[in-house]
Amino acid sequence: MANENGNGAGDANQQGPSLNTLVQYIKDFSFENPNAPRSLTGQQQQGPQIGLQVNVTANAVGETEFEAILTLEGKATANNETLFAFELSYAGVFRILGVPQEQLHAVVMIDCPRLLFPFARQIVADAVRNGGFPPLYIDPIDFAALYRQRLEELQSQQPAAGTPAS
């Protein structure tokens, strides 16, 4: 006899973990081209110096829904002059089911920004190109390494057990 469900789908508790993107959006975005048109007409002998900062934050928005926010801040300089600067906060709301509580934080802080990154990268590349420069394609980011680094920083800031705080 055939399964009553007909599609082989069991109850949600019997299925493996799932991560679904419910919505993605630009939360905040700024692009500055402070020295245009001068910065656009003088062709640089060398490529610009590019600085990039990456940050990930998250908020619970429901029992199984989480908002992850990927923030990319960058600046390009040449000859001690800013060519362009940007700040993008790109967010998504994700439904996460079947993930053990002790692993949930890592999923939200690693897998969610990993899903957001290609879209944020394209927004930055388009903005830089629309600002008159060649598009800036940010190299892939290892969100697991960033997560581990952040955990190590937090652990090193905590006083050792049994040591009085000053």
Side-chain angles (χ1 to χ4, degrees):
M1 286 199 132
N3 181 338
E4 283 184 33
N5 293 340
N7 61 6
D11 125 5
N13 293 333
Q14 294 176 343
Q15 294 179 356
S18 68
L19 170 64
N20 300 97
T21 305
L22 302 180
V23 65
Q24 294 179 199
Y25 49 94
I26 295 174
K27 198 164 182 89
D28 187 26
F29 183 57
S30 170
F31 180 84
E32 299 173 21
N33 195 350
N35 294 303
R38 187 171 27 93
S39 61
L40 300 172
T41 58
Q43 296 301 320
Q44 314 300 326
Q45 295 297 334
Q46 302 175 8
Q49 298 293 322
I50 308 278
L52 180 67
Q53 293 183 337
V54 178
N55 193 26
V56 177
T57 57
N59 308 301
V61 294
E63 190 174 314
T64 58
E65 288 83 30
F66 300 86
E67 177 190 50
I69 305 163
L70 172 61
T71 301
L72 302 174
E73 293 181 54
K75 185 177 186 179
T77 58
N79 302 322
N80 295 322
E81 190 173 86
T82 299
L83 299 176
F84 63 83
F86 62 86
E87 181 177 346
L88 171 64
S89 292
Y90 192 73
V93 176
F94 300 88
R95 179 172 293 133
I96 303 172
L97 301 170
V99 173
Q101 189 65 35
E102 64 274 4
Q103 296 173 1
L104 190 58
H105 189 258
V107 169
V108 171
M109 300 301 284
I110 296 170
D111 293 323
C112 294
R114 185 180 294 149
L115 293 170
L116 294 172
F117 177 74
F119 301 96
R121 178 181 190 244
Q122 191 62 50
I123 291 166
V124 169
D126 289 345
V128 171
R129 186 193 67 235
N130 291 339
F133 300 95
L136 172 63
Y137 291 109
I138 300 169
D139 289 336
I141 297 170
D142 184 349
F143 290 101
L146 284 177
Y147 180 74
R148 286 189 300 271
Q149 178 185 354
R150 183 68 180 142
L151 283 180
E152 289 171 6
E153 288 171 4
L154 290 173
Q155 288 172 350
S156 69
Q157 291 174 0
Q158 294 177 350
T163 306
S166 34

